[in-house]
Amino acid sequence: MSISNNIGTRKTARSLTVLLALAFLALSVIVLLISSGLQLFFNFQTQRRFVASQQQLIAREAASTVAGFVQGKFSELDAAAKLGVRLSTSPEEQKRVLDNLLGLDPAFRQVVLLDLQGQELIRNSRLSQLTAGQLAERIGSDMLAQVRQGNRQVSSVYIDDITSEPLIIMAVPVTNVFGDPQGILLAEVNLKFMWDLVDRLQVGETGLAYVVDKQGRLIAFSDISRVLRGENVGWFIIG
C-alpha cells in the first residue's frame, strides 16, 4: 500500500511539473508575442512619423520655392512702378520700361499700364494682337479696387486655352513721388515652372506631389490632363 502511494505521488508531481512547464512556456510565448507586437507597432509609428516629417519638409521647400517666385515677380513690378513707369513720364519712357520688364523675365507674358479707371494706356506682350487677352477684364473690379488702395494683388490661376499653361495676373499700384496712386501696373505671369518643380519632387517610392491654388484647384500635377480639367482636390486626396 505504501509503494502504490509513493508511485501515485511521483506521478502527480511529474504531472504538476509538466503542467507548470507548459504554463510557463505558454506565458513566455504570450509575453514574447505581446513584446514583438508592441515593438512592431512602435517601429511602425516611428517610421510613419519619419515619412510624415519628410513629406512636410518637401512640401515646405516646394511652397518656399513658389512663394519666392511670386515675391520675386512682385519685386520686379514694384521697381518698375516706382522707378520708371509713372504716369508723369512720357509714353516712350513708359514703353521702354515695359519692354525692359519683358526682357528681364521670361515668365512675364504681358505687361499693361492702366489708369485709375482701369483704362489701358500702354501694353507690351509676347503674344500676337489676336491672342493677347484683356487683363483688366479678367481680374475684375474688386481686385482693381484693392490695387487703387495701394495693395498688391494676385488673381486666381487660370489655364491658357492655346498653350494649356497655368497663368496668373499680378497687379501693383503706380504712385507719384508723394505716394499717391496714379495708375495700375498689371503683368500676366506664366507658372509653367511649377510643372517642372513637381516633376522633380520625390515623395517616397509611390508618393504623389501636386500644387493647388487657394481654392483647391489643381494647377501642377504629373497627370496634366487633370490640371487642364480644372480638377478641385481641396476636399480629397488624389488617388
Side-chain angles (χ1 to χ4, degrees), residues 5-211:
N5 288 337
N6 289 337
I7 293 174
T9 302
R10 285 197 296 270
K11 287 183 178 181
T12 302
R14 282 198 299 268
S15 298
L16 289 173
T17 301
V18 171
L19 182 61
L20 289 174
L22 291 175
F24 178 77
L25 178 61
L27 181 60
S28 299
V29 170
I30 293 172
V31 171
L32 181 61
L33 290 175
I34 293 175
S35 176
S36 299
L38 289 175
Q39 186 64 38
L40 287 174
F41 174 76
F42 288 130
N43 288 342
F44 172 76
Q45 290 293 94
T46 300
Q47 183 68 18
R48 187 176 181 181
R49 285 193 295 269
F50 173 76
V51 171
S53 65
Q54 289 295 103
Q55 291 175 340
Q56 290 174 1
L57 178 60
I58 292 171
R60 283 196 297 269
E61 290 177 351
S64 177
T65 300
V66 174
F69 174 87
V70 173
Q71 184 57 47
K73 301 301 168 282
F74 265 137
S75 297
E76 294 169 8
L77 292 175
D78 282 337
K82 293 175 180 177
L83 300 178
V85 78
R86 291 194 177 102
L87 271 64
S88 59
T89 59
S90 66
E92 292 77 14
E93 177 63 18
Q94 293 169 353
K95 186 177 186 307
R96 185 188 67 80
V97 174
L98 297 188
D99 288 341
N100 289 340
L101 269 177
L102 286 185
L104 175 67
D105 197 323
F108 289 135
R109 293 211 323 170
Q110 302 182 71
V111 285
V112 179
L113 178 63
L114 309 176
D115 62 19
L116 286 179
Q117 286 68 48
Q119 299 299 311
E120 183 176 310
L121 301 176
I122 295 180
R123 167 192 296 272
N124 203 342
S125 175
R126 302 183 191 278
L127 309 175
S128 68
Q129 291 296 323
L130 294 177
T131 57
Q134 298 296 319
L135 301 188
E137 295 178 2
R138 182 175 286 277
I139 63 176
S141 58
D142 291 342
M143 184 170 166
L144 289 177
Q146 286 293 321
V147 182
R148 291 190 193 101
Q149 297 175 18
N151 302 314
R152 303 188 302 185
Q153 293 289 296
V154 180
S155 74
S156 298
V157 178
Y158 58 96
I159 303 297
D160 185 87
D161 294 333
I162 298 175
T163 65
S164 299
E165 295 172 336
L167 306 168
I168 56 172
I169 297 174
M170 304 178 68
V172 299
V174 177
T175 60
N176 59 21
V177 293
F178 303 105
D180 300 321
Q182 287 189 314
I184 299 169
L185 181 60
L186 302 180
E188 186 177 51
V189 183
N190 193 327
L191 298 182
K192 185 178 180 296
F193 91 100
M194 286 195 294
W195 292 358
D196 302 326
L197 171 66
V198 168
D199 283 341
R200 292 195 302 267
L201 291 178
Q202 297 293 327
V203 187
E205 296 182 358
T206 60
L208 298 173
Y210 56 95
V211 179

